[in-house]
Amino acid sequence: MSEISKTYEPQAVEEKWYSFWLEHNCFVADAKSPKPAYSIVIPPPNVTGVLHMGHVLNNTIQDLLSLLNC
């Protein structure tokens, strides 16, 4: 098993996922879609400026919901 990086390396994942989102028109709204409309409320930044696992969980759930609605 390979060791997990101690820091986030965006170049390792973001290009792949951004391309996927573009290919599947994830940034394009379809007014004629039979799916119910929804919005994602993004909370204000943490006052302390310190990120924690709650932020990770919240953003992961948002990402999964956006993928399911593509």
Side-chain angles (χ1 to χ4, degrees):
M1 179 190 288
S2 62
E3 184 176 332
I4 296 175
S5 175
K6 297 198 183 318
T7 59
Y8 176 60
E9 298 174 9
Q11 67 279 5
V13 294
E14 289 185 4
E15 184 176 338
K16 170 192 168 188
W17 284 111
Y18 196 75
S19 295
F20 176 88
W21 296 332
L22 289 176
E23 288 174 24
H24 291 86
N25 295 319
C26 291
F27 300 119
V28 179
D30 180 4
K32 297 178 183 175
S33 174
K35 296 178 182 178
Y38 74 98
S39 64
I40 297 174
V41 178
I42 299 174
N46 189 330
V47 174
T48 64
V50 178
L51 296 176
H52 53 76
M53 291 305 290
H55 293 101
V56 175
L57 176 61
N58 180 41
N59 290 339
T60 301
I61 290 170
Q62 290 181 43
D63 285 347
L64 290 173
L65 288 174
S66 66
L67 283 174
L68 292 173
N69 285 294
C70 278

